[in-house]
Structures are given as C-alpha cells and as structure tokens.
Amino acid sequence: MAHSAGDACSSFDREATSQNAKDVAEEALRDLQDRAAEYLERGREQAFAVSDAVEEQIRTRPVQAVTVAAGIGFVLGYLWTRRS
C-alpha cells in the first residue's frame, strides 16, 4: 500500500501539532511551578511574621497569653469530649 504525498504531509502536521501541544504543556507546567514557588515563599514569610508577632505579644502580655491559651484548650477539650 503506497502512501501519497498528502499522507506524508498529514503525518508531519500531526507530529508538529503534537510537539507544539507538548511544548505548550511544558511551558504551562513551568509557569505553574514558578507561581507555586512564589506562593510558598510568600506563605513562609507571612508565617514567620505571624510567629514573630505572637512571640512579641506573649513577651509583652504573658498573663493574657496564658489566659487565651487556657481558654482555647478548654474549648477544644469541651468539643472533643462532647464528640466522644
């Protein structure tokens, strides 16, 4: 069965389209990875900022910090025993 010139062009077009789709997908993946890395870094920075702020509040108001922690522990303990 002989292949015509049209079949060869069609095959070439499919391969080119397939390669183009692969390139587009790889580029989209790289962009997504870059954005994810940026979001991760921002999240780390914000977590450190919150941690620093909480530490400062504990240092400046230790009694209030212990009271809040005890209150949160009481509420969580109440909710936990209520579920059981």
Side-chain angles (χ1 to χ4, degrees), residues 56-69:
E56 183 62 28
Q57 287 295 320
I58 291 170
R59 284 191 184 107
T60 58
R61 298 184 178 117
V63 174
Q64 184 181 11
V66 169
T67 304
V68 169

Side-chain angles (χ1 to χ4, degrees), residues 2-81:
H3 294 296
S4 68
D7 289 344
C9 287
S10 177
S11 175
F12 179 76
D13 288 345
R14 281 194 300 270
E15 288 175 18
T17 301
S18 175
Q19 184 62 43
N20 188 29
K22 180 182 174 191
D23 292 343
V24 169
E26 287 174 347
E27 180 66 25
L29 178 61
R30 280 191 294 274
D31 289 345
L32 183 61
Q33 288 171 331
D34 291 343
R35 278 190 282 161
E38 288 175 21
Y39 289 139
L40 180 62
E41 184 58 32
R42 281 191 219 157
R44 282 185 185 148
E45 290 171 0
Q46 289 177 351
F48 285 128
V50 168
S51 175
D52 291 343
V54 168
E55 283 184 34
E56 183 62 28
Q57 287 295 320
I58 291 170
R59 284 191 184 107
T60 58
R61 298 184 178 117
V63 174
Q64 184 181 11
V66 169
T67 304
V68 169
I72 291 171
F74 175 77
V75 169
L76 290 175
Y78 175 76
L79 292 174
W80 187 320
T81 59

